Amino acid sequence: MSKRTFDLLAVLLTAPLWLPVFALVAILVRLKLGRPVFFRQARPGRNARIFEMIKFRTMTDRRDAAGALLPDRERLTGFGRWLRATSLDELPELLNVLRGDMSLVGPRPLLVQYLERYSPRQARRHEVRPGITGLAQAMGRNALSWEEKFEWDVRYVEERSFWLDLKILFLTFKLVVGRTGISAAGDATMPEFNPGRANTKPAAPCPH
C-alpha cells in the first residue's frame, strides 16, 4: 500500500469519528473567538511548493495602540491553549491531507520565510509531503530545539517506512494524551527559527 493510499483510507474511514468533533470545535471557536473560525497560512510543502494550511483559530486579534498584533502569549486564550494541548486545533489539516498537500506523517510545514534560512541538510525536509505529525513531534514536540527538530525531520526523510509511520502515530498519541512538549520554555509555542542561535545538541537514536 502506498503512503498516499494509506493517508486517504485512514482519513476517510475514520471520518465518522472526527467529523462530529470537527463540527463541535468549529462551533466553540466561533462562540469563544469569533470569526474567522479557521486560521489559514501559506506554508511550503513537498519540493517547497507553497500551499494553504488550515487550522482552527486559537488566538485573538488583539493589537497595540499602533495597530500591530500583540505577541502570541498575549493573544493566546485559555480556550486556545486547551485546543493546542489536545491538538484539536490541527483537525482541519485532515482537509489538507485529503487535498494531497499534506500527509498524516511527515515533517511539520513551517513558515515560508524559513526556506532561505535552512542549511542544505535541513532543506531535505522538503523532499517529502509535510505531515500533521512527524518524527520530531513524536520525539518531543516543541520541547526540542530547532536544530533537534530539523535533525529528526531529515532522519525521517532518510529512514521513512510504513512501520516508522505507525510508530510515529502511536508515539504522537501518547504525547497528546500526556499533553507534553506543547510549547518551548518561555514561549507560547516556539521562538522564531534563528540559525545564529541554533542548538546543536545531538538527537537520540531513531525509534525503529
Side-chain angles (χ1 to χ4, degrees):
M1 181 187 301
S2 71
K3 184 177 176 67
R4 178 64 181 152
T5 300
F6 174 78
D7 285 342
L8 289 173
L9 287 177
V11 174
L12 293 174
L13 292 178
T14 59
L17 299 177
W18 61 263
L19 275 176
V21 179
F22 186 104
L24 177 59
V25 174
I27 293 171
L28 290 174
V29 172
R30 175 67 179 86
L31 292 174
K32 292 181 176 293
L33 296 175
R35 295 181 179 176
V37 170
F38 298 114
F39 170 75
R40 302 170 183 267
Q41 190 174 55
R43 299 287 176 97
R46 187 178 184 182
N47 298 321
R49 182 182 66 84
I50 306 301
F51 71 98
E52 184 181 67
M53 190 182 74
I54 310 171
K55 299 176 68 172
F56 279 122
R57 180 182 176 190
T58 59
M59 292 189 285
T60 67
D61 288 328
R62 290 178 58 201
R63 298 174 182 269
D64 60 23
L69 285 172
L70 294 174
D72 288 0
R73 70 179 66 184
E74 296 183 41
R75 294 188 295 121
L76 185 62
T77 66
F79 174 65
R81 287 191 182 89
W82 177 77
L83 283 180
R84 292 188 180 194
T86 57
S87 291
L88 288 173
D89 63 316
E90 311 280 358
L91 267 179
E93 290 170 36
L94 292 173
L95 302 179
N96 287 123
V97 174
L98 290 175
R99 293 194 314 200
D101 298 322
M102 295 178 63
S103 177
L104 291 177
V105 179
R108 285 290 298 164
L110 301 176
L111 299 178
V112 174
Q113 57 262 39
Y114 290 177
L115 286 172
E116 61 185 22
R117 305 179 189 178
Y118 296 138
S119 68
R121 176 170 173 78
Q122 292 168 345
R124 293 198 61 198
R125 67 195 309 280
H126 292 292
E127 292 178 13
V128 298
R129 282 192 181 94
I132 293 179
T133 187
L135 190 52
Q137 285 63 49
M139 300 308 293
R141 301 175 80 182
N142 288 332
L144 302 177
S145 69
W146 280 117
E147 284 295 314
E148 290 171 315
K149 282 188 174 188
F150 294 146
E151 184 59 26
W152 285 122
D153 288 342
V154 175
R155 289 169 70 171
Y156 174 77
V157 171
E158 295 173 339
E159 304 174 24
R160 64 190 185 275
S161 69
F162 176 74
W163 295 112
L164 180 57
D165 281 6
L166 292 182
K167 289 181 180 180
I168 289 171
L169 290 170
F170 174 71
L171 290 171
T172 300
F173 177 76
K174 287 179 62 178
L175 283 174
V176 170
V177 170
R179 299 191 182 185
T180 57
I182 298 165
S183 60
D187 286 274
T189 50
M190 279 290 289
E192 181 179 354
F193 170 48
N194 184 337
R197 294 199 303 266
N199 182 344
T200 56
K201 179 181 176 182
C206 185
H208 277 359

